[in-house]
Amino acid sequence: MSDQSPKKVVVLGTGGTIAGTAASASDNLGYTAAQVGVAELLAQVPGMDRALGGCTLVSEQVAQIDSKDMSFAVWQALAQRVQHHLAQPEVKAVVITHGTDTLEETAYFLHAVLPLQWVSRKPVVLTCAMRPATSLSPDGPQNLLDAIAVALCPQACGVMVVAAGSVHGALDVQKTHTYRPDAFSSGDAGALGYVEEGQLRLLRNWPLDQSNKALIAIEKIANLSCWPRVEIVMNYAGGSAYMVDAMLQPLPGVPALQGLVVAATGNGTLHHALEAALRRASQAGVRVVRASRCANGRVLATEHAEFAHSEGLSPVKARVALMLALMSGG
Ligand code: SIN
């Protein structure tokens, strides 16, 4: 009997420090991100053939950017390419190389839009690096090997991030350090598992969305030229209404504000001036969502809370969720 199991891993390149180069191997700061093509990056990883265990590796350059410049157009292209590859019977998994700076937003976006039909059976693993490819000690090659190890685990599914030997679910992962290679955390939830010498030690269930459906169909966002404008404001000592009131003013050529996520203090608390401005925004038809600027914990619903809370999402992920909700009319 022939083995019908999928035999291909697809690696989609989007840029980032993992593909970055500097003039000197000792320079881990003054590099330029997104310089080396994904095929070349993969070819440079020692031990890749062994990690693949007989699977074919296919790569595709979807974008080549520093992820601080991540755009909706790249997200649209990426979601379409991931969906396309997951739908191929011979494809076992999709790995994505990405910059660390907006990695958690892309991971959450994919988690929200990829059809469960595919991600419940095949994993999507994002990986990255904090040191450029030219570094004396680059972390990209090991991260790529670890991402492949997770991608090839027999039961693997859902959208994950693999970095510095840890595996994180898209919902919980956050970049929490500016410099160290171990820059990601899943906060209270903890890592899903660890990759040790090519073996995954799984501590929690694979990260599947319990809602059983994507927030919006990829086809619906594929040709969207203008995404709903959703901004983030923060509460802080001496907070004011100025930012919110300014954003409510119409400006030529600027799409009208449709949503605001507030990175509130503590358990969703707001300076009274900012709260009053958010109330005005809400009365003007802007959807307001309250997240917390705290790195851990979530805004717990209180009986008289005026604005919806972010259901545990960080401000940047709550913004993605609100844009998708506005797109789907939710
Ligand atoms: C980026 O996010 O593209 C640059 C920074 C990094 O990857 O660490």
Side-chain angles (χ1 to χ4, degrees):
M1 217 168 76
S2 68
D3 179 5
Q4 299 296 308
S5 57
K7 289 278 185 256
K8 203 187 262 185
V9 178
V10 178
V11 182
L12 303 178
T14 71
T17 294
I18 191 167
T21 58
S24 144
S26 59
D27 191 351
N28 287 320
L29 294 177
Y31 61 88
T32 308
Q35 299 300 299
V36 185
V38 65
E40 193 182 334
L41 276 185
L42 291 166
Q44 289 169 1
V45 180
M48 183 56 92
D49 281 349
R50 189 152 39 88
L52 284 166
C55 278
T56 312
L57 192 61
V58 176
S59 67
E60 181 180 322
Q61 197 78 49
V62 174
Q64 187 65 302
I65 58 168
D66 186 318
S67 82
K68 70 180 174 54
D69 298 322
M70 184 49 68
S71 66
F72 300 140
V74 172
W75 274 0
Q76 283 165 316
L78 188 59
Q80 281 180 293
R81 294 315 290 156
V82 175
Q83 173 164 256
H84 164 82
H85 288 296
L86 291 181
Q88 309 308 310
E90 71 279 13
V91 171
K92 161 84 182 96
V94 172
V95 171
I96 300 168
T97 57
H98 198 290
T100 60
D101 285 347
T102 58
L103 182 67
E104 67 215 58
E105 287 163 75
T106 299
Y108 176 75
F109 167 71
L110 292 174
H111 169 87
V113 302
L114 287 171
L116 212 63
Q117 174 193 6
W118 303 121
V119 281
S120 62
R121 293 194 279 134
K122 301 180 180 188
V124 176
V125 184
L126 293 99
T127 195
C128 55
M130 290 293 285
R131 304 278 178 266
T134 48
S135 172
L136 195 59
S137 168
D139 48 334
Q142 186 65 55
N143 285 346
L144 272 167
L145 284 177
D146 290 349
I148 297 286
V150 173
L152 291 178
C153 278
Q155 308 301 325
C157 58
V159 181
M160 289 165 274
V161 169
V162 171
S166 298
V167 186
H168 303 277
L171 266 185
D172 298 308
V173 68
Q174 284 193 50
K175 183 172 179 180
T176 54
H177 205 280
T178 56
Y179 178 71
R180 283 189 213 136
D182 194 0
F184 289 88
S185 165
S186 287
D188 290 349
L192 290 175
Y194 300 100
V195 188
E196 296 156 340
E197 301 297 313
Q199 298 298 314
L200 173 66
R201 179 160 59 94
L202 194 64
L203 305 176
R204 299 201 278 128
N205 288 338
W206 298 105
L208 280 184
D209 194 331
Q210 302 307 318
S211 68
N212 244 12
K213 60 177 172 51
L215 277 184
I216 189 168
I218 288 173
E219 291 68 29
K220 195 163 175 184
I221 53 175
N223 298 313
L224 212 64
S225 57
C226 186
W227 288 38
R229 184 171 156 226
V230 177
E231 307 283 358
I232 299 176
V233 286
M234 190 185 263
N235 192 48
Y236 36 72
S240 75
Y242 303 139
M243 292 276 270
V244 173
D245 284 344
M247 281 192 276
L248 290 176
Q249 298 308 312
L251 284 175
V254 179
L257 187 68
Q258 291 189 51
L260 268 174
V261 173
V262 57
T265 28
N267 186 31
T269 57
L270 296 168
H271 187 286
H272 61 85
L274 177 59
E275 188 166 25
L278 291 169
R279 194 172 299 127
R280 285 193 286 281
S282 176
Q283 283 159 0
V286 174
R287 286 268 292 276
V288 178
V289 171
R290 192 194 296 242
S292 177
R293 67 179 213 184
C294 292
N296 289 306
R298 55 190 293 154
V299 176
L300 296 164
T302 49
E303 215 177 312
H304 302 294
E306 193 171 350
F307 307 113
H309 64 86
S310 67
E311 300 183 7
L313 294 177
S314 65
V316 290
K317 290 182 189 173
R319 174 174 174 266
V320 177
L322 183 50
M323 284 190 293
L324 297 176
L326 286 163
M327 280 179 214
S328 61

